[in-house]
Amino acid sequence: MRVKSANDSALPESARTTDPETSKQSTRSTSPSAATPRRVTASDLLVGLGFGCYTSWVSMAFHSMGLFASDGAGGEQVLDAVYLISIITITAVLFLSAELHAHVGKLIARPEANIVFPVGVTASTLLMPLSSVNDPLGVFAVGASGVLSGVFSGIQLLIFGTTFARLQTRSLVTAVATGQIASSLLFALSLNFPVFEAALFAASMPCIGALLLHFGMKDKSEDDLNGITPLERQALPADKDHRTLRTLLARVCACVLLVGFANEAARTMYMQIEASIKQIEPFAQAQAFIAFVASAGIILIALVAVSSKIKNAPQICYHVLGVGLAVGALLLPTVLLYPTLDARIPLTVNTSFYTCFGMFMWLVTAGICRQYSTANVRTVALVRGAWAAGPLLGMLLARFTLHEAGATLEAAFPIMALGVIAVFVAANAAFDGTVLLQALELIPTDRRKRFQEKCHAIAERYGLSEREEQVMTLFAKGRNLEYIKDELCLSKSTVSTHRQHIYQKLGVHSLQEMLDLIQDAEG
């Protein structure tokens, strides 16, 4: 079943208003040269740095003891409690946002949203050091910091996700890769601070990230964006497209949930057994170095997927990632079996592939948003909600397994290894090559670019108007009259009239003849 491509998402926006600026945007959307920006700009780097600040806050708050009193098991229990409350809250917030996507779209479209929610994350971060206090204030701080961080960071995540959907492919890859590098370096830097200074540093990250995001997007010209539907106009597509979107999202969400589950289960087993606690330092050290490996990997994957003429390049890249994820998750517990093994080796493999997979899924999520631009809030919320739910389930199951096995590695390892293998088999089945190609419609492969160029060449050769070119392109992509009516906000009679004029100008009498003419064109 065919789904709307990235270039489709730009077309309806140009038809929904008569504003002069939108008319300019319409012209850009029909030009084949507008498929990707020609170069990486400083604004791409600013957006990426902003994203890096946000993701580094996650690591600072929940992947180390930096914000909590380091008093052994007591401090770790507090961290676990805050993390558990926060991840449950953010999962609930994201799934609720998916249900209320129209209202949430209007909320995050407001200019003050980029101020209120980062400040809320900052406030929740400043409460975290108080969680280690052994009195009612500490209990309150545990609950408040967990709930507030989940609520505000969940909405800020939606802001980043819907912003990414507006970027052209090369800008998106640059921003996500830059963000990962910045995130790991900032996290490594935070490990050197005492509790108070670490809390202040972490608390500043969400606000700095929001500021960088604001200036990065402000500096972008309209040519750098793809004309996606404004957030205020969130609505589910109708009928056939709604079913396609629902199926696609279900498969993608199942994949990210299962992958997140397997990775967190392995990581939790590593961190919770007493032997591994002594190796937290190499774990943190590995985090500082894997960003470069992960970023290089995802850039290579993106470049292969974008420029390769190999028909199955995206599937090959995805399956390589899948194998790497499985190997990394299975390698992680080997440190517990062989204490003399350098912990940085399995940690680097595990975290690198997991980071690459996360960056890859940002591309997939943005691609789906572009195909269904009126449902981008729902898309981001569901995918990231599943991404949060997976680690939550993995952590809970790993701890339950270890508890029932008496925290004995010999008993826990085979159980978790079998679980990891089963999960990755299920993930591969849930998100197969066909679904991957549907989700990666954002990548302007040579075939899609040639199709756009041929449509544009036919339009210029036979003197089609801008609107007629839009209608012709949608018909050529297999869209029916009802779809085009809704997509371009036209009446059925107007669409029929455009089709009649297109046939007359092209000298054809049927859709098949028009397709043959486009196919034979030199674009």
Side-chain angles (χ1 to χ4, degrees):
M1 183 178 296
R2 186 143 172 91
V3 293
K4 183 167 65 175
S5 72
N7 291 291
D8 285 349
S9 65
L11 295 177
E13 181 59 22
S14 65
R16 289 179 179 144
T17 176
T18 57
D19 184 77
E21 290 300 318
T22 311
S23 298
K24 295 177 183 178
Q25 179 178 314
S26 171
T27 302
R28 286 189 302 271
S29 69
T30 58
S31 173
S33 63
T36 54
R38 294 182 178 179
R39 60 186 177 84
V40 174
T41 64
S43 62
D44 299 331
L45 299 178
L46 287 177
V47 172
L49 290 173
F51 179 62
C53 289
Y54 170 81
T55 53
S56 71
W57 170 84
V58 177
S59 299
M60 293 175 197
F62 303 119
H63 294 171
S64 77
M65 296 288 293
L67 274 64
F68 302 86
S70 302
D71 57 350
E76 187 175 349
Q77 289 176 358
V78 172
L79 169 61
D80 289 345
V82 175
Y83 174 64
L84 182 61
I85 295 172
S86 182
I87 196 172
I88 290 174
T89 303
I90 194 172
T91 302
V93 166
L94 289 171
F95 284 133
L96 183 62
S97 297
E99 186 67 25
L100 304 175
H101 57 97
H103 300 288
V104 174
K106 294 178 181 178
L107 175 65
I108 63 178
R110 298 173 66 88
E112 55 268 28
N114 207 33
I115 300 174
V116 172
F117 295 105
V119 170
V121 180
T122 293
S124 68
T125 308
L126 295 175
L127 285 173
M128 290 182 183
L130 299 177
S131 303
S132 301
V133 178
N134 295 320
D135 58 26
L137 177 61
V139 176
F140 169 79
V142 168
S145 60
V147 171
L148 291 177
S149 63
V151 171
F152 289 110
S153 66
I155 300 299
Q156 191 174 14
L157 185 62
L158 288 178
I159 294 174
F160 274 104
T162 52
T163 299
F164 283 167
R166 300 178 61 198
L167 300 178
Q168 299 286 2
T169 303
R170 189 175 300 174
S171 295
L172 176 60
V173 172
T174 301
V176 176
T178 301
Q180 185 55 48
I181 294 174
S183 173
S184 295
L185 295 180
L186 288 169
F187 174 58
L189 180 61
S190 72
L191 296 175
N192 300 313
F193 296 146
V195 173
F196 179 73
E197 287 80 358
L200 291 179
F201 186 65
S204 68
M205 290 295 99
C207 291
I208 294 176
L211 194 63
L212 291 171
L213 177 66
H214 169 74
F215 283 110
M217 295 305 294
K218 182 179 180 181
D219 288 344
K220 281 193 169 295
S221 67
E222 289 296 326
D223 288 331
D224 296 325
L225 304 177
N226 56 28
I228 199 168
T229 301
L231 291 171
E232 299 94 330
R233 300 179 184 175
Q234 294 297 294
L236 293 179
D239 304 330
K240 182 179 178 181
D241 282 332
H242 185 196
R243 291 193 297 271
T244 303
L245 172 62
R246 183 173 56 193
T247 302
L248 182 58
L249 278 178
R251 302 283 289 273
V252 173
C253 288
C255 178
V256 297
L257 186 147
L258 293 172
V259 170
F261 165 82
N263 183 79
E264 187 64 22
R267 181 180 178 276
T268 298
M269 185 173 70
Y270 172 81
M271 299 300 293
Q272 289 301 307
I273 295 180
E274 183 177 0
S276 69
I277 295 177
K278 300 175 182 178
Q279 304 198 49
I280 289 178
E281 182 179 355
F283 176 83
Q285 291 174 348
Q287 291 278 55
F289 294 101
I290 56 86
F292 299 99
V293 177
S295 299
I298 194 62
I299 291 173
L300 177 61
I301 290 170
L303 290 176
V304 169
V306 169
S307 60
S308 176
K309 296 183 179 179
I310 300 175
K311 181 179 179 181
N312 297 323
Q315 296 99 312
I316 294 172
C317 294
Y318 173 74
H319 290 307
V320 168
L321 276 178
V323 172
L325 284 165
V327 171
L330 291 173
L331 278 179
L332 197 56
T334 58
V335 179
L336 309 177
L337 287 173
Y338 306 100
T340 58
L341 180 66
D342 188 343
R344 287 169 294 188
I345 296 175
L347 285 168
T348 298
V349 173
N350 173 265
T351 314
S352 294
F353 277 103
Y354 189 66
T355 302
C356 284
F357 183 81
M359 298 168 75
F360 190 77
M361 293 313 296
W362 272 116
L363 294 176
V364 169
T365 304
I368 300 173
C369 287
R370 294 181 187 184
Q371 296 170 51
Y372 301 94
S373 59
T374 60
N376 51 8
V377 172
R378 181 181 175 85
T379 297
V380 174
L382 284 176
V383 175
R384 302 316 298 187
W387 191 271
L392 172 62
L393 296 175
M395 177 185 67
L396 294 176
L397 182 61
R399 292 185 180 183
F400 174 78
T401 302
L402 290 172
H403 176 74
E404 291 298 315
T408 303
L409 177 62
E410 289 75 10
F413 184 82
I415 297 173
M416 296 310 300
L418 289 174
V420 168
I421 293 172
V423 162
F424 279 108
V425 170
N428 185 64
F431 195 57
D432 59 18
T434 302
V435 177
L436 178 65
L437 288 179
Q438 286 184 338
L440 283 178
E441 283 287 316
L442 85 161
I443 295 181
T445 60
D446 287 342
R447 182 178 179 182
R448 275 192 292 278
K449 285 194 292 185
R450 286 197 301 270
F451 173 78
Q452 292 294 329
E453 290 168 359
K454 287 182 177 182
C455 288
H456 188 66
I458 287 293
E460 288 191 334
R461 184 182 307 166
Y462 290 92
L464 300 187
S465 68
E466 180 181 305
R467 176 66 80 206
E468 288 170 344
E469 181 180 350
Q470 293 174 351
V471 173
M472 179 191 70
T473 302
L474 289 174
F475 272 122
K477 289 180 177 180
R479 301 303 188 182
N480 58 28
L481 188 146
E482 185 70 25
Y483 175 90
I484 298 175
K485 173 185 77 70
D486 295 335
E487 191 76 347
L488 300 182
C489 296
L490 302 173
S491 66
K492 284 187 177 181
S493 61
T494 301
V495 176
S496 296
T497 300
H498 280 309
R499 179 171 57 183
Q500 182 181 356
H501 290 166
I502 292 168
Y503 284 2
Q504 289 175 350
K505 289 182 179 182
L506 300 184
V508 299
H509 303 89
S510 67
L511 175 62
Q512 186 58 53
E513 290 183 10
M514 184 181 77
L515 292 175
D516 292 340
L517 184 65
I518 294 174
Q519 182 64 34
D520 295 337
E522 295 182 1

